[in-house]
Amino acid sequence: GEVYNMNASVTLYAVWEKTKYTISYDACSGSGVPENQTKIYGEILILSSTTPTLDGYTFLGWATEVSGGCSATSASYQSGASYTSNASATLYAVWEKTKYTISYDANGGSGVPDNQTKSHDVELTLSSTKPTREGYVFLGWSTSSTATSATYQAGEVYNMNASVTLYAVWEK
């Protein structure tokens, strides 16, 4: 569309630039979202190694699902992974509630309950299984192997957001 005003024949050559695509990130209520990145056609982009955080949740990676958005449950990419698609995309953080392990130690007895898994901010009912020990009465569970009084009873609600080993408390 420009005006050519030279008095000579000329061959004009096309000038090309590779197409660029924008990769943006949505932390989905988290903080520490990576900066947008530019993907160049035909080249591999290494996704940001920055991972967002969200209290009470574990970051599983990034999803590209437009329909799932912030409700995606599985990750398509991990931080620092290769992105090869020649397309712009928004990557959505995939979160899973942090899980905690509640393990039991019969503390000299037998018949210890199986480990339990508790999700962040979700109450857990402790196992109702009570261990046995000849010549002793089971008083309950404590976080100390030397406790003389119980902190928790079998079947009681546990609402701490932490993994813990509960030791049987015995009385002769």
Side-chain angles (χ1 to χ4, degrees):
E2 277 191 38
V3 174
Y4 179 75
N5 58 12
M6 305 229 4
N7 292 324
S9 295
V10 67
T11 300
L12 297 176
Y13 295 93
V15 177
W16 298 98
E17 178 179 77
K18 287 188 176 185
T19 305
K20 295 178 182 177
Y21 307 96
T22 300
I23 308 305
S24 58
Y25 297 87
D26 184 335
C28 297
S29 300
S31 60
V33 67
E35 296 289 324
N36 289 352
Q37 291 182 275
T38 301
K39 160 75 168 80
I40 298 172
Y41 178 86
E43 296 181 13
I44 296 172
L45 172 69
I46 302 301
L47 297 175
S48 174
S49 60
T50 300
T51 56
T53 58
L54 180 59
D55 186 44
Y57 289 81
T58 301
F59 175 71
L60 298 181
W62 300 102
T64 58
E65 301 156 0
V66 174
S67 61
C70 288
S71 62
T73 56
S74 63
S76 304
Y77 295 97
Q78 296 300 313
S79 296
S82 296
Y83 182 84
T84 58
S85 295
N86 290 311
S88 293
T90 299
L91 300 180
Y92 300 93
V94 179
W95 300 106
E96 177 181 70
K97 279 191 176 245
T98 302
K99 296 196 184 318
Y100 308 100
T101 300
I102 312 308
S103 56
Y104 297 89
D105 185 316
N107 205 14
S110 61
V112 67
D114 291 334
N115 290 351
Q116 291 180 278
T117 301
K118 180 196 177 299
S119 294
H120 189 82
D121 284 343
V122 176
E123 290 184 343
L124 171 74
T125 300
L126 296 174
S127 174
S128 59
T129 301
K130 296 178 182 179
T132 58
R133 184 175 178 189
E134 192 171 328
Y136 290 83
V137 174
F138 174 71
L139 299 179
W141 301 101
S142 175
T143 57
S144 169
S145 62
T146 59
T148 56
S149 63
T151 308
Y152 300 100
Q153 295 300 315
E156 185 176 321
V157 170
Y158 177 80
N159 56 21
M160 301 295 291
N161 289 318
S163 292
V164 67
T165 298
L166 297 177
Y167 298 90
V169 179
W170 301 105
E171 180 178 79
K172 285 188 177 190

